[in-house]
Every structure is written in C-alpha cells, then in structure tokens.
Amino acid sequence: TWYPLAHGRLIHEVEGQLASAGFVLAGETHALSHGGARYFGLFEVGTPGRTNRDYTWAVAIRNSHDKSIPAGLVAGSKVFCCDNLAFSGEVKISRKHTRFVERDLRDLTAHAVARLRARFHQLDQRIEAYQQRRVTNPQAHDLVIRAVDCRAITPSQVPGMLHEWREPR
C-alpha cells in the first residue's frame, strides 16, 4: 500500500502551482535528512505589487521515503518545519503515500494553493489590525500572566517576553 512520491516531483508540483496562481518566489530553502529519505523545504512567496512588509508569507513542504510521514504542505505568515519534520502553519494539508498519490498530487496542490491567496490576505488584515492596536504596559503584563495561566507559555519564558516587550528587536 506504500507508494513513495519523489521529493523532486512534490517540489516541482508546488512550485508550478504557486506560479500558476500568480505567486512569486522570493526565496527558498531545501534540506534532506536520514540519508535522503526525508525532505523538507521552505518557500517565501509574494505577489506582484505587494508592498514590502516586516514579515513574509511562507509555504513549507515535507515528504519521506521511509514511511515516517505523509507528504504535506503548510502555509502562513510564519511556518515551522524542523529537521525532525515537525510541521505547523495556518494552512495545512497532507496526503499519505497510497496507490493514487501521484494521480491526486496535482489536484491536491492546486486546491491548497488556490486557498492560499485568500488566507494570506486574511493574515495581512489580521497582522495590520494587531499593528494598529495600542497596548499599554499594564495590559502587556496582564497578557503575559494570562498566557502563563492558560499554559500558552511557561513561567521561564516570562523574562524573555518582557525583555522583548520593553526592547523589541
């Protein structure tokens, strides 16, 4: 039931779908691990005429030939794809390497990429709203404590967060 998908096939399909949807590649990074059996890559994408911002849209992909993970794609303003192939982002799809993975690849990537433009614009609007919101020192301190209370951060992360608040990079 295992039908491996070539890493290059996935890369070229995603690149082609991004180009077809009007995205421009601004940068990319690719890596292999476990003797080439596991692949992960990151594409920074934009659109013609999109103004410069202090963040970028990103699309990450992963794949394996050792049955460890399904082929997948995540996208967002910040995505995470570690060398252990941990994967997160605002948009996520994955496909097991079953009999029709090659046949279904084009439709799956086309569908995912088609949703990206709207999702990326939603991200832009959300981030712009965050940037317009003024937060006072007492509100920031309260947010940090609430983040600890709901276990979004650990107590040991508080000093770093407060330092970033007081002296942002």
Side-chain angles (χ1 to χ4, degrees):
T1 62
W2 174 259
Y3 292 83
L5 175 64
H7 303 321
R9 173 85 170 92
L10 178 62
I11 294 166
H12 295 300
E13 185 61 40
V14 171
E15 286 177 332
Q17 292 295 341
L18 288 169
S20 293
F23 289 104
V24 177
L25 293 181
E28 56 186 283
T29 304
H30 304 275
L32 294 170
S33 69
H34 295 78
R38 297 179 189 175
Y39 160 80
F40 47 95
L42 178 73
F43 300 98
E44 293 179 20
V45 299
T47 55
R50 184 172 183 257
T51 58
N52 288 338
R53 298 178 186 256
D54 55 359
Y55 64 95
T56 185
W57 295 338
V59 175
I61 56 176
R62 70 178 181 185
N63 192 41
S64 77
H65 292 165
D66 62 2
K67 301 182 182 182
S68 60
I69 54 161
L73 176 147
V74 293
S77 58
K78 184 173 184 179
V79 298
F80 176 74
C81 185
C82 186
D83 60 2
N84 70 2
L85 301 183
F87 215 40
S88 69
E90 284 97 346
V91 175
K92 183 177 179 180
I93 64 159
S94 65
R95 174 67 161 81
K96 291 182 179 179
H97 294 82
T98 57
R99 183 174 177 199
F100 298 111
V101 66
E102 280 279 341
R103 180 197 69 190
D104 298 344
L105 182 62
R106 176 152 294 166
D107 288 339
L108 286 170
T109 55
H111 180 69
V113 168
R115 294 183 338 190
L116 290 182
R117 188 177 300 272
R119 293 300 296 258
F120 282 148
H121 288 295
Q122 288 172 350
L123 286 170
D124 284 349
Q125 290 172 340
R126 185 178 73 205
I127 291 169
E128 188 175 320
Y130 291 159
Q131 291 172 333
Q132 299 303 315
R133 171 82 179 178
R134 298 290 174 217
V135 178
T136 65
N137 279 331
Q139 289 172 323
H141 288 88
D142 186 50
L143 285 171
V144 170
I145 297 305
R146 288 176 187 234
V148 172
D149 286 345
C150 70
R151 297 190 174 129
I153 64 168
T154 64
S156 64
Q157 291 174 300
V158 170
M161 289 188 69
L162 291 177
H163 177 58
E164 190 67 34
W165 170 255
R166 292 172 180 143
E167 297 177 36
R169 282 176 267 168

